[in-house]
Amino acid sequence: MKKLEQLYEGKAKKVFSTDDPDVVIVDYKDDATAFNGEKKGTIVGKGVVNNRMTNHVFKLIEAEGVPTHLIEELSDRETAVKKVQIVPLEVIVRNVAAGSFSKRMGVEEGRELLCPILEFSYKDDALGDPFINDDYALALGFATQEEIDTIKNYTKKINEILKAYFLQADMKLIDFKIEFGKDSSGKIILADEVSPDTCRLWDVHTNEKLDKDRFRRDLGNVEEAYNEVFKRLGLA
Ligand code: UDP
C-alpha cells in the first residue's frame, strides 16, 4: 500500500490517498496544539506512541464487537484505514471531573462522577467546538437518531473496555474524546485516535498526569509521560 497524494493535513496527522478509493493512509506527526491551536509545540516521538497505541486499542475494541476504521499498521507512524466521512461530533466521556467540565460546573478536578457522562461537541475549530446536545445534532443534520443511538451504544462499550485496559496498567481513565465516521456503505465505525492526546490518564496511586495536560499546562516531562504510557501498555 503506497501513499499517493496528501488529501489533508490536520493538527496531529496527515492523510494520504492510495490506489484504493476506500482506503487512506494516516501519518502521525509530533506536532502538538492546545487551546484550539493557540498553543503550539512538538512532543518528540508522540506520533509513534499515538499511532501504535491507537492501533493496539482499536484491535481490542474491534474484538469486543465495535467496528473501527483500522486496516493495517504500515510503519511506526503510518496506518492504512478505511476512508470515512467523519460525523462532525466530538464524543466525550467523563468518568472523573477534569478540564472544561470542572471549569463549567465549578467541580474540583479529580471528583469521581456518580455515573459516566457522555457529551457531544460540534467539531468546528472556528467556533471552538461548541458543546451541543442530541437535538442540535438532529436539527442540524449532523447525524440521524439511529446513528446517534449507535454512537452512544458503541461509546459506552468503549468506555468500559478502555477503563479496564488502562487500569491493568495502573492508569485511571479520567475522560476521553473519540470520533466516528461513516464508511462507504454508510455504516458507523470508530475513527480518529485513542492516545494520550485524546485521553486523560492519571497514575492510579499518585494521580500523576500521564497525558497531554502536561503540555497544555506546562507541567514538564511531556515526552516522558507519553513514553511511560507506551511502556506501561507493553508497547515500547
Ligand atoms: N479532547 C480532545 N480534543 C478536543 C477536546 C477534548 O481530545 O478538541 C479530550 C481531552 O484530551 C480530554 C477530554 O477530551 O481527555 C475532555 O476534554 P475537555 O472537554 O475537558 O476539554 P479540555 O479541558 O481538554 O479543553
Side-chain angles (χ1 to χ4, degrees):
M1 185 98 18
K2 271 223 179 76
K3 288 171 171 171
L4 291 181
E5 63 176 301
Q6 186 173 310
L7 298 175
Y8 169 80
E9 176 160 9
K11 286 177 277 194
K13 301 188 269 304
K14 292 179 183 174
V15 180
F16 296 85
S17 63
T18 68
D19 52 19
D20 183 334
D22 289 333
V23 179
V24 294
I25 293 174
V26 289
D27 188 338
Y28 285 74
K29 307 189 287 183
D30 285 351
D31 299 355
T33 63
F35 312 119
N36 203 16
E38 251 172 68
K39 182 181 170 86
K40 288 191 173 74
T42 302
I43 302 174
V44 177
K46 170 172 88 80
V48 175
V49 171
N50 290 5
N51 179 46
R52 296 204 35 231
M53 177 170 163
T54 295
N55 293 341
H56 188 78
V57 166
F58 276 31
K59 280 180 207 157
L60 292 178
I61 289 172
E62 189 97 39
E64 297 288 332
V66 176
T68 77
H69 73 169
L70 175 63
I71 299 174
E72 188 192 4
E73 188 170 286
L74 302 173
S75 74
D76 269 358
R77 290 178 184 271
E78 298 163 306
T79 297
V81 301
K82 289 179 192 149
K83 187 170 186 172
V84 294
Q85 203 188 339
I86 289 285
V87 177
L89 299 173
E90 300 211 326
V91 184
I92 292 171
V93 177
R94 303 180 185 279
N95 296 307
V96 175
S100 67
F101 175 84
S102 286
K103 226 181 222 170
R104 188 176 340 112
M105 297 306 296
V107 172
E108 77 279 15
E109 283 210 320
R111 180 154 132 201
E112 290 278 343
L113 300 169
L114 299 176
C115 59
I117 295 174
L118 193 162
E119 69 183 49
F120 292 133
S121 291
Y122 171 42
K123 202 173 138 58
D124 185 306
D125 282 339
L127 296 174
D129 301 337
F131 185 96
I132 63 165
N133 67 13
D134 296 30
D135 280 348
Y136 280 51
L138 282 173
L140 294 171
F142 299 155
T144 64
Q145 185 64 58
E146 196 190 350
E147 288 165 350
I148 291 174
D149 292 344
T150 302
I151 286 172
K152 285 186 171 177
N153 286 331
Y154 283 167
T155 299
K156 285 177 194 160
K157 197 157 176 188
I158 291 167
N159 185 39
E160 294 311 313
I161 298 166
L162 294 183
K163 270 197 296 188
Y165 174 61
F166 290 123
L167 198 56
Q168 53 83 33
D170 272 359
M171 292 180 285
K172 233 185 321 189
L173 178 60
I174 305 301
D175 57 27
F176 63 97
K177 184 265 307 179
I178 48 180
E179 296 179 21
F180 291 88
K182 281 193 270 184
D183 70 9
S184 54
S185 69
K187 194 172 92 163
I188 294 284
I189 63 179
L190 180 65
D192 197 44
E193 66 179 282
V194 171
S195 72
D197 272 8
T198 63
C199 300
R200 283 194 172 94
L201 295 168
W202 294 2
D203 180 89
V204 77
H205 304 294
T206 65
N207 283 342
E208 185 191 359
K209 293 177 172 47
L210 297 170
D211 57 63
K212 195 171 156 188
D213 273 346
R214 301 206 73 84
F215 168 78
R216 293 189 189 101
R217 303 177 186 188
D218 295 317
L219 300 176
N221 294 329
V222 183
E223 277 90 0
E224 288 80 356
Y226 280 72
N227 287 328
E228 177 66 20
V229 172
F230 205 46
K231 200 173 78 190
R232 287 192 191 192
L233 296 176
L235 300 170

